[in-house]
């Protein structure tokens, strides 16, 4: 048995962490993983999570399986993206289901898309989070790219993006990052989102928002949902995957939500029942502990306020590190243009380094990042920023 099985290629992101862990250099830096760390480089358990943990301690988990805990999570999650006063939320005209974090929500949707729109394809921004390709490929949905990033200008290739929307067959599925685009850190402006939404309407495209970093672009949760709310205002049917891995630091708990807007509550019930059927055959139901944590945070105004403040603290630290990194590079008289580090938002900086420069950073400085030059700014600290700047200067100078 299994003689025909050979090792799968390493995942570009987890492969970086493995190599980092094996490195014994004391100055090593992991800029691969998009997980928030504090200024000491340590992963953070947010205070809001500790308070939620205290609130649910002693809870009978078996009981919660039979109670409304999963609908509570969904109710609170949809308020975050569509807005608590939105008609869809008030009317309940959405199909919402708890999911195994953002990845699981995307996987459920991909399966749902294939079942109910067989033969349809999905358009991804170029580039996108590498796992999007794996997820839709495994669901056997054909994948296409649409223009997004302009590698020369290090910004959005807006005209090419609009052309691709116009040229796609009517009624195509598009995956959009509503904020803090991974890996580029480049988001459309409000005006550009309005234009994108306009052309989606003209073409009757379906927008699927993958929301893995709400809060991480601007530090404000509502502001980061602006793109979704523009589409909502324009009357689109929307699908949305939400993850609490980053903005609540709950990676290991795998808490997420998938919601799909529907014409009315009856259609919503039908769509939800199909999503539940897919989930049931894939993994039964998700673990309940993280769901209780997230619903306790979102459902308690005091803990929720604390969470909002903590999101801002994380974002401010990342912004500070962007500014300090540029300052350090300027002090070293780097002739390379690094301004995009400051302009980009969210957890990542799409550095523009070549694969050769990335290899040199790893071999000569024990600094790890994905081969596309994406640096997780969450791994930059007051203690390592000048070491990083010096290394970047060394590998980029003529
Ligand atoms: N979407 C995007 C764009 C991401 O960057 C990530 C995490 N890297 C996810 C979804 C899913 O993350 P998780 O499954 O941990 O919620």
């Amino acid at each position: 048995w299994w003689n025909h099985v050979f090792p799968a290629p390493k995942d570009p992101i987890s492969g970086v962490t493995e190599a980092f862990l094996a490195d014994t250099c004391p100055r090593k830096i992991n800029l691969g993983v998009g997980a928030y760390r504090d200024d000491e480089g340590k992963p953070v358990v947010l205070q809001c999570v500790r308070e939620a943990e205290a609130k649910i301690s002693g809870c009978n988990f078996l009981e919660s399986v039979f109670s409304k805990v999963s609908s509570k999570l969904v109710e609170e999650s949809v308020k975050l993206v569509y807005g608590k006063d939105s008609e869809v939320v008030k009317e309940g005209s959405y199909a919402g289901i708890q999911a195994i974090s953002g990845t699981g929500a995307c996987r459920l949707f991909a399966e749902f898309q294939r079942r109910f729109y067989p033969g349809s394809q999905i358009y991804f921004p170029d580039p996108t989070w590498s796992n999007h390709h794996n997820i839709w490929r495994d669901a056997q949905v054909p994948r296409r790219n649409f223009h997004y990033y302009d590698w020369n200008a290090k910004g959005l290739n807006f005209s090419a993006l609009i052309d691709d929307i116009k040229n796609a067959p009517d009624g195509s599925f598009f995956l959009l990052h509503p904020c803090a685009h991974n890996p580029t850190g480049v988001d459309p402006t409000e005006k550009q989102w309005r234009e994108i939404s306009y052309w989606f309407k003209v073409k009757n495209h379906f927008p699927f928002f993958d929301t893995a970093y709400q809060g991480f672009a601007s530090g404000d949760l509502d502001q980061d949902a602006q793109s979704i709310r523009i589409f909502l205002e324009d009357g689109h049917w929307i699908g949305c995957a939400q993850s609490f891995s980053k903005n609540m630091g709950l990676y290991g708990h795998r808490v997420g939500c998938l919601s799909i807007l529907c014409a009315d509550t009856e259609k919503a019930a039908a769509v939800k029942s199909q999503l539940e059927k897919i989930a049931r055959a894939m993994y039964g139901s998700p673990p309940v502990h993280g769901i209780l944590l997230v619903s306790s945070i979102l459902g308690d105004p005091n803990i929720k306020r604390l969470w909002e403040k903590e999101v801002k603290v994380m974002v401010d630290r990342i912004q500070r590190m962007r500014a300090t990194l540029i300052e350090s590079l300027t002090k070293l008289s780097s002739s390379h243009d690094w301004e995009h580090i400051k302009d980009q938002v969210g957890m990542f900086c799409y550095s523009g380094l070549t694969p050769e420069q990335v290899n040199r950073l790893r071999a000569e400085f024990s600094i790890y990042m994905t081969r596309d030059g994406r640096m997780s700014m969450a791994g930059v600290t007051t203690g390592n920023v000048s070491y990083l700047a010096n290394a970047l200067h060394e590998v980029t100078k003529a």
Side-chain angles (χ1 to χ4, degrees):
W1 288 96
W2 316 124
N3 279 342
H4 57 301
V5 179
F6 297 98
K10 280 212 187 314
D11 177 80
I13 301 170
S14 31
V16 173
T17 301
E18 271 175 43
F20 169 81
L21 290 174
D23 189 328
T24 52
C25 170
R27 306 212 67 170
K28 66 179 177 177
I29 309 177
N30 187 358
L31 304 180
V33 65
Y36 183 76
R37 281 147 285 166
D38 64 13
D39 204 38
E40 309 283 303
K42 302 231 167 62
V44 178
V45 178
L46 297 181
Q47 188 54 31
C48 61
V49 171
R50 291 188 196 282
E51 294 201 4
E53 198 67 81
K55 227 177 144 176
I56 65 169
S57 79
C59 145
N60 178 337
F61 289 116
L62 191 57
E63 212 166 70
S64 51
V65 174
F66 297 107
S67 71
K68 293 260 173 244
V69 58
S70 125
S71 20
K72 177 94 182 129
L73 172 91
V74 171
E75 277 164 28
E76 293 298 340
S77 303
V78 294
K79 284 186 204 160
L80 271 186
V81 282
Y82 305 112
K84 66 177 179 357
D85 299 320
S86 61
E87 288 303 310
V88 274
V89 167
K90 283 198 215 144
E91 287 168 5
S93 51
Y94 60 85
I97 169 170
Q98 57 184 98
I100 301 195
S101 216
T103 308
C106 286
R107 184 67 177 85
L108 277 178
F109 182 79
E111 187 64 29
F112 181 75
Q113 179 187 342
R114 188 187 53 76
R115 275 189 199 193
F116 292 96
Y117 283 90
S120 67
Q121 45 192 17
I122 180 114
Y123 283 80
F124 292 145
D126 181 24
T128 193
W129 179 47
S130 53
N131 213 21
H132 283 145
H133 286 280
N134 303 331
I135 292 169
W136 267 266
R137 187 192 52 230
D138 280 5
Q140 286 160 25
V141 175
R143 292 155 289 133
R144 289 303 226 11
N145 283 337
F146 66 90
H147 280 95
Y148 190 84
Y149 191 66
D150 180 337
W151 272 266
N152 291 324
K154 298 196 172 69
L156 189 67
N157 194 347
F158 188 62
S159 56
L161 179 155
I162 293 290
D163 282 346
D164 286 350
I165 294 171
K166 289 184 193 168
N167 292 331
D170 287 5
S172 294
F173 287 83
F174 274 72
L175 183 142
L176 300 168
H177 299 224
C179 65
H181 180 272
N182 176 12
T184 67
V186 172
D187 289 340
T189 61
E190 179 187 341
K191 188 160 169 273
Q192 288 170 332
W193 275 120
R194 289 193 187 279
E195 197 169 333
I196 295 170
S197 170
Y198 171 81
W199 283 109
F200 265 59
K201 201 78 199 168
V202 171
K203 295 285 299 181
N204 191 30
H205 292 328
F206 185 89
F208 182 72
F209 286 99
D210 181 13
T211 315
Y213 299 93
Q214 190 174 358
F216 267 100
S218 65
D220 181 276
L221 291 147
D222 281 315
Q223 176 62 32
D224 279 7
Q226 187 190 50
S227 52
I228 299 179
R229 302 206 186 149
I230 289 172
F231 274 68
L232 192 61
E233 244 174 67
D234 289 350
H236 289 277
W237 304 111
I238 296 172
C240 182
Q242 285 172 266
S243 161
F244 294 100
S245 293
K246 321 279 169 170
N247 56 14
M248 286 193 188
L250 290 175
Y251 312 87
H253 286 281
R254 317 301 298 142
V255 195
C257 177
L258 169 65
S259 55
I260 299 176
L261 304 191
C262 299
D264 51 39
T265 50
E266 206 176 310
K267 200 36 74 195
V271 170
K272 184 176 172 185
S273 69
Q274 292 291 350
L275 293 172
E276 283 173 339
K277 184 169 171 231
I278 296 169
R280 179 112 188 94
M282 270 196 213
Y283 52 82
S285 59
V288 81
H289 185 90
I291 292 169
L292 284 170
L293 286 176
V294 174
S295 12
S296 303
I297 293 171
L298 298 179
D300 179 322
N302 290 329
I303 310 188
K304 183 162 178 245
R305 258 194 304 277
L306 173 61
W307 174 51
E308 287 163 349
K309 276 196 201 136
E310 292 188 285
V311 168
K312 185 88 177 63
V313 169
M314 294 192 277
V315 173
D316 287 349
R317 192 188 88 69
I318 291 178
Q319 282 306 109
R320 238 181 3 261
M321 285 305 114
R322 287 183 190 276
T324 317
L325 182 57
I326 295 184
E327 265 165 41
S328 313
L329 285 158
T330 312
K331 270 193 210 137
L332 291 164
S333 313
S334 170
S335 55
H336 202 77
D337 181 6
W338 295 103
E339 274 309 297
H340 56 287
I341 295 185
K342 214 166 58 213
D343 299 338
Q344 295 170 351
V345 293
M347 212 172 249
F348 301 108
C349 160
Y350 208 48
S351 66
L353 294 172
T354 63
E356 293 70 37
Q357 290 166 334
V358 170
N359 286 347
R360 277 193 65 197
L361 284 172
R362 184 188 279 217
E364 296 170 33
F365 300 93
S366 295
I367 296 174
Y368 290 79
M369 65 186 71
T370 45
R371 273 176 68 78
D372 58 359
R374 185 194 78 165
M375 305 195 287
S376 169
M377 293 305 294
V380 185
T381 65
T382 310
N384 68 21
V385 65
S386 39
Y387 178 72
L388 171 64
N390 182 55
L392 288 175
H393 180 49
E394 283 301 319
V395 302
T396 52
K397 66 186 178 194

